[in-house]
Amino acid sequence: MSSSPERSSRPATPPVQLASRHWLALAVLLCGAFLPILDFTIVNLALPSIRQDLHADSGDVQFVISAYAATYAVMLITGGRLGDLYGRRRMFLSGAAGFVVASWVCGFAGSARMLLLGRILQALAAAIMAPQVLATIRVMFAGKAQARALGLYGATFGLANIGGQLLGGLLIAMRPFGLGWQAIFLINVPIGIVAIVGGIFWLEESRSSRAKRLDVRGVLLLSVTLGCVVYPLIEGPTTGWPGWMMLMLASSVVAFVGFIRHETHLSAHGGDPLVELSLFRTRRFSLGAAMGTVFYMLSAFYLTFSVYLQGGLRASPQEAGLATLPFALGFFLSSIASPFIERRLATRTLVYGFVLQIVGFGAVVAGVVLPLFSPLAGGLVPGLACAGLGYGIVMPALIKAVLADVEERHAGLAAGVVMTALQVGAALGVAVVGGIFYAALGAHPDPGAYAHAFSLALACNIALLGVGSILAFLLPVAGARSRRGATPS
């Protein structure tokens, strides 16, 4: 009997040792999942210090975040494909090493331009590293072990969000080794080194045996498509949507049509396309990708909640970070418990997760509009905790739902598509919901305007969660392939 083409060709290992090695490998992979999320959230609290030290203007500071998000979203599918082609272990280690170097560049940047370059390099490295995490989990684990691994993966997102909210302000206040905002980037260096060393010892190589070569034209067309969508969505609200930016959005449609035609032609003539469009013929995958996009539009919550707390309630950055803890802790705890929760709730896990978020955020809106207790004194804690619990239930269940019927040879590609859908959803959320928030806030807001704008933005998020719950209800039960586990190709 031939072994799966996705597996390593190393000599057989005793089952107990193999299981132990896999969980050690998972710890390494989760370090790689932790870093990109931490680096996305931790920067927010450091922006005033960065602007002052580097004599940057507001546009420079905003682009420190948006350049990272745009580059990351554009390159994720390509990163997943590179893992399928050249080996997921190799690409994970390469991405982790690149992330360490890029973080060093950011930490010692002497100008806004150098910091921006470092952030783009970080995003490129993260896009190479991050898709290998999901793809390797998909190949390395099956059944209940895979459910536990995905629960820990989701919990890592929660832990990274907690770290990003608390660590940024703490590092700036403590100034370790005399460093200020630089410490938020340099903290990545030891974490990245741990991931590299652990990966060398415990990660096994896997790749797609059918992959031939990288579809360079597909990479370019998809990059242009996503770049022409993501960049305007992130920068448009702050620049007043100039005509050239609207032209970029229109160009994305042309590039996308060209991408579809090219991929279809390549598949029909026996080539190796960047994206197997046949993946989207699987109803679970296409519905799950759409659900992920809608779900991750909730990323606007962090922005609007922070502005409401600091602008409307005059909270310090540290107080604002602490105020988000009930949500982040709920997310973390329910992610850890997700295998048990999924066994209890079965096929309706996603629906219940969305409903919990709707109820939780509804309670937050009520707490803001009818402030019986001070929001900073714990008045919003029950609603935030409930919403966080729902978020942590949805995250791993969504990933498992999307990847359930995907063949292992496409695991890296599918992981890249899923993560791209999430990042595009985040960009859409910040652009659309954030735009509604700032429009309602007005030019000269008072505390009441902040409360109104935040409530309106959160109502938009609740509506999006309602759409997500409908998509979750329509999601079919996993097919026979996901129940059998890995299928030799």
Side-chain angles (χ1 to χ4, degrees):
M1 183 180 293
S2 61
S3 63
S4 168
E6 294 288 335
R7 302 291 183 181
S8 169
S9 58
R10 294 182 180 183
T13 306
V16 174
Q17 293 182 25
L18 185 64
S20 175
R21 185 187 184 93
H22 282 180
W23 291 108
L24 287 170
L26 178 64
V28 172
L29 292 169
L30 294 183
C31 284
F34 179 84
L35 282 172
I37 306 303
L38 175 73
D39 219 62
F40 187 82
T41 57
I42 198 173
V43 174
N44 290 282
L45 296 176
L47 289 179
S49 299
I50 292 173
R51 182 174 182 179
Q52 181 178 356
D53 285 1
L54 298 184
H55 307 289
D57 58 31
S58 59
D60 292 331
V61 169
Q62 289 166 351
F63 207 59
V64 165
I65 296 177
S66 60
Y68 181 90
T71 306
Y72 189 44
V74 165
M75 295 304 297
L76 273 169
I77 291 179
T78 302
R81 194 59 163 157
L82 287 171
D84 287 343
L85 284 164
Y86 302 115
R88 294 164 191 139
R89 176 180 182 269
R90 180 182 298 175
M91 288 299 104
F92 178 87
L93 293 174
S94 299
F99 201 87
V100 167
V101 172
S103 297
W104 191 270
V105 171
C106 290
F108 290 101
S111 66
R113 182 170 296 181
M114 182 59 68
L115 179 59
L116 177 59
L117 174 62
R119 290 289 282 171
I120 292 173
L121 292 175
Q122 274 189 319
L124 287 171
I128 292 172
M129 174 177 61
Q132 317 315 327
V133 178
L134 265 181
T136 305
I137 289 173
R138 173 68 174 81
V139 170
M140 193 165 56
F141 295 98
K144 293 181 180 180
Q146 186 180 100
R148 287 196 296 271
L150 288 175
L152 291 171
Y153 176 80
T156 300
F157 277 64
L159 192 61
N161 277 295
I162 293 171
Q165 294 299 319
L166 298 181
L167 203 54
L170 184 63
L171 287 172
I172 294 170
M174 291 179 61
R175 298 185 63 85
F177 306 105
L179 299 169
W181 59 265
Q182 296 89 344
I184 70 169
F185 296 111
L186 295 177
I187 192 68
N188 297 329
V189 174
I191 301 173
I193 290 173
V194 168
I196 293 168
V197 173
I200 291 171
F201 283 101
W202 294 315
L203 282 182
E204 294 183 1
E205 190 61 278
S206 69
R207 69 184 75 196
S208 172
S209 63
R210 296 187 180 182
K212 299 172 185 175
R213 61 181 181 178
L214 185 63
D215 173 16
V216 177
R217 185 181 296 181
V219 170
L220 292 174
L221 285 169
L222 184 61
S223 297
V224 170
T225 299
L226 294 178
C228 287
V229 171
V230 173
Y231 180 85
L233 287 176
I234 292 173
E235 293 296 312
T238 61
T239 57
W241 295 99
W244 64 267
M245 200 168 281
M246 301 303 293
L247 184 61
M248 278 188 75
L249 281 173
S251 299
S252 70
V253 178
V254 177
F256 183 65
V257 171
F259 173 73
I260 296 296
R261 292 184 63 182
H262 169 70
E263 299 297 282
T264 303
H265 179 268
L266 205 59
S267 292
H269 290 79
D272 196 33
L274 177 67
V275 175
E276 284 284 352
L277 299 180
S278 60
L279 285 174
F280 292 93
R281 298 191 190 116
T282 303
R283 189 180 177 195
R284 286 182 63 82
F285 186 84
S286 55
L287 274 177
M291 192 196 317
T293 303
V294 171
F295 169 62
Y296 232 59
M297 289 180 75
L298 190 64
S299 296
F301 163 72
Y302 287 104
L303 168 67
T304 57
F305 191 42
S306 178
V307 173
Y308 162 65
L309 291 172
Q310 296 186 59
L313 301 182
R314 306 301 181 191
S316 68
Q318 290 83 358
E319 288 174 325
L322 287 171
T324 63
L325 269 183
F327 180 83
L329 285 172
F331 176 12
F332 177 73
L333 293 173
S334 58
S335 296
I336 289 288
S338 62
F340 171 77
I341 293 171
E342 191 166 356
R343 285 197 298 272
R344 296 285 293 180
L345 301 181
T347 58
R348 294 304 172 211
T349 301
L350 281 165
V351 176
Y352 287 123
F354 277 110
V355 169
L356 270 177
Q357 291 176 86
I358 291 170
V359 172
F361 283 129
V364 172
V365 171
V368 171
V369 176
L370 305 169
L372 301 177
F373 305 97
S374 168
L376 288 177
L380 304 182
V381 167
L384 289 171
C386 180
L389 288 171
Y391 195 94
I393 290 172
V394 168
M395 188 70 183
L398 171 62
I399 293 168
K400 184 178 179 181
V402 176
L403 299 182
D405 288 345
V406 174
E407 295 179 34
E408 286 183 358
R409 64 192 177 94
H410 294 317
L413 168 62
V417 172
V418 171
M419 297 180 72
T420 297
L422 295 178
Q423 293 302 316
V424 170
L428 281 168
V430 171
V432 177
V433 180
I436 292 171
F437 172 80
Y438 281 112
L441 200 57
H444 304 287
D446 56 25
Y450 279 98
H452 168 70
F454 175 61
S455 300
L456 182 60
L458 207 48
C460 293
N461 276 323
I462 290 171
L464 289 167
L465 290 168
V467 174
S469 67
I470 294 172
L471 292 174
F473 186 79
L474 296 174
L475 201 69
V477 176
R481 180 187 296 120
S482 65
R483 289 193 295 270
R484 289 193 304 266
T487 303
S489 300

